[in-house]
């Protein structure tokens, strides 16, 4: 009889241990977040987001920020990743992966069709910056100027596209230098301005505006329509000496996962983001450019994220 009681107790203890272990595993969901190169604004956003998610979930979800060479790599890695993978990319790039076009031509994979959106993050916003706080602020002010575009980045590619589109290519001189040298080159008078793409407030623009005064050029609605990109308004006061709103363009960027991520995890992650967004914006203003108005343009949502938006009364495209 005593042996029988002991066996029952051992079974109960074992079952309890298994329940505790299962609960422990569930409470320690570990994710990998892949966004951009170390030292960039997007990598810093990943760090901020990781800390916010850990705080919002009381440690139930932790995210390790992993360096990336860019959005194409982020999407490509979906092929070898599982349900613990979160990455950032423009929605247009995800569409290209699903269609097997652009950088994904000949590299198609069935897992690309499993990519689902979670929430927006700050957009890549175009900045056309000229030295001097006084003077014209239309894009045509670039005429006769020596401009630094940089090399290989979205901002450089898009900047050159706009020069071609608006007949400015032969009216400006392009400096042969890296964008990282823009601040010093502007200060030393080696260039008259530079073009950069980044979430506002962009650190290199803040530095230039604070040290010597700059003006950020604004685009007309007609010009913005011609670019085919989304209109972005940089609110007055974003940069030192900026007294008026700036109309420019931007490329939406979204945090994605795949259908391999559990619905409850996607729900908790999405909820954590939105409950922490205002707090993040207090210390990092670029989060202030993200709003629930952007959710309807995210594309196909992860079921867990969709459940959160439904409960929160946020309009979606679905």
């Amino acid at each position: 009889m005593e042996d029988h009681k002991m066996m029952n107790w051992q079974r109960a203890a074992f079952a309890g241990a298994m329940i505790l272990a299962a609960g422990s595993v569930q409470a320690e969901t570990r994710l990998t977040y892949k966004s951009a190169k170390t030292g960039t604004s997007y990598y810093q956003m990943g760090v901020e987001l990781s800390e916010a998610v850990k705080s919002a979930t009381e440690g139930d979800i932790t995210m390790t920020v992993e360096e990336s060479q860019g959005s194409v790599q982020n999407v490509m890695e979906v092929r070898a990743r599982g349900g613990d993978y979160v990455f950032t990319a423009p929605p247009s790039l995800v569409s290209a992966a699903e269609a097997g076009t652009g950088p994904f031509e000949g590299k198609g994979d069935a897992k690309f069709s499993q990519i689902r959106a979670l929430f927006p993050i700050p957009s890549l916003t175009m900045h056309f910056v000229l030295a001097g706080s006084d003077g014209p602020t239309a894009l045509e002010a670039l005429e006769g100027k020596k401009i630094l575009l940089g090399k290989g980045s979205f901002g450089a590619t898009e900047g050159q596209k706009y020069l071609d589109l608006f007949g400015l290519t032969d009216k400006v001189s392009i400096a042969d230098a890296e964008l990282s040298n823009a601040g010093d080159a502007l200060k030393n008078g080696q260039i008259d301005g530079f073009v950069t793409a980044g979430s506002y407030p962009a650190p290199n623009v803040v530095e230039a505006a604070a040290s010597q005064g700059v003006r950020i050029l604004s685009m007309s609605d007609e010009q913005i329509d011609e670019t085919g990109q989304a209109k972005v308004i940089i609110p007055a006061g974003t940069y030192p000496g900026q007294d008026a709103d700036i109309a420019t363009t931007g490329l939406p960027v979204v945090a994605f996962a795949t259908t391999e991520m559990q619905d409850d995890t996607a729900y908790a992650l999405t909820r954590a983001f939105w409950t922490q967004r205002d707090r993040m914006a207090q210390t990092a203003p670029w989060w202030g450019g993200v709003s629930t108005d952007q959710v309807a343009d995210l594309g196909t949502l992860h079921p867990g994220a969709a459940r959160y938006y439904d409960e929160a009364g946020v309009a979606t495209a679905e």
Side-chain angles (χ1 to χ4, degrees):
M1 187 68 174
E2 291 298 323
D3 289 343
H4 181 68
K5 288 181 179 179
M6 180 62 71
M7 289 178 64
N8 286 342
W9 180 86
Q10 289 173 332
R11 290 193 189 100
F14 179 77
M18 291 300 99
I19 291 171
L20 287 173
S24 176
V25 170
Q26 185 179 9
E28 296 178 3
T29 301
R30 297 180 181 180
L31 305 176
T32 296
Y33 182 90
K34 200 172 185 79
S35 179
K37 293 181 180 179
T38 304
T40 64
S41 59
Y42 278 94
Y43 187 89
Q44 180 60 31
M45 287 177 206
V47 174
E48 294 163 358
L49 182 57
S50 175
E51 293 171 350
V53 168
K54 184 176 181 180
S55 174
T57 63
E58 297 183 343
D60 287 352
I61 298 178
T62 59
M63 291 200 305
T64 300
V65 181
E66 189 172 281
E67 184 178 20
S68 164
Q69 297 306 306
S71 296
V72 172
Q73 179 190 2
N74 296 351
V75 178
M76 285 290 193
E77 289 199 11
V78 165
R79 300 177 298 178
R81 300 281 190 152
D84 62 346
Y85 184 52
V86 182
F87 67 96
T88 65
S92 57
L93 201 60
V94 172
S95 297
E98 293 175 347
T101 58
F104 305 96
E105 186 172 357
K107 301 174 184 177
D109 193 285
K111 292 193 72 172
F112 290 149
S113 65
Q114 299 175 4
I115 296 173
R116 298 292 184 269
L118 297 172
F119 46 81
I121 65 171
S123 300
L124 272 170
T125 301
M126 291 297 294
H127 294 68
F128 292 86
V129 183
L130 282 180
S133 53
D134 297 323
T137 57
L139 206 61
E140 290 72 21
L142 292 172
E143 292 186 17
K145 307 297 185 183
K146 188 171 185 178
I147 305 298
L148 176 56
L149 286 178
K151 302 173 183 178
S153 66
F154 168 79
T157 303
E158 196 76 355
Q160 184 61 62
K161 178 180 121 178
Y162 291 11
L163 294 180
D164 295 341
L165 193 60
F166 304 124
L168 293 167
T169 301
D170 296 330
K171 299 177 181 178
V172 301
S173 174
I174 304 298
D176 184 17
E178 295 293 335
L179 188 61
S180 57
N181 300 323
D184 289 338
L186 194 69
K187 189 174 182 178
N188 297 332
Q190 296 170 296
I191 60 173
D192 300 305
F194 62 93
V195 179
T196 186
S199 300
Y200 65 83
N204 54 349
V205 180
V206 171
E207 182 180 355
S211 65
Q212 66 181 87
V214 299
R215 61 191 188 275
I216 303 163
L217 306 185
S218 203
M219 301 173 67
S220 68
D221 286 343
E222 292 74 19
Q223 288 173 327
I224 291 171
D225 288 342
E226 284 188 65
T227 68
Q229 297 287 16
K231 181 178 181 178
V232 175
I233 298 295
I234 302 176
T238 298
Y239 294 105
Q242 180 201 342
D243 298 325
D245 290 350
I246 296 162
T248 184
T249 62
L251 182 67
V253 182
V254 174
F256 292 97
T258 71
T259 52
E260 289 190 33
M261 176 177 283
Q262 294 182 2
D263 289 0
D264 286 347
T265 300
Y267 172 89
L269 184 57
T270 304
R271 183 179 185 278
F273 171 76
W274 288 110
T275 56
Q276 294 292 304
R277 194 219 64 149
D278 288 348
R279 186 188 65 78
M280 289 193 292
Q282 290 175 3
T283 55
W286 46 48
W287 293 110
V290 178
S291 77
T292 52
D293 293 341
Q294 298 166 309
V295 172
D297 298 322
L298 296 186
T300 305
L301 295 169
H302 191 289
R307 173 158 61 95
Y308 170 76
Y309 292 124
D310 182 58
E311 291 179 2
V314 175
T316 68
E318 300 177 358

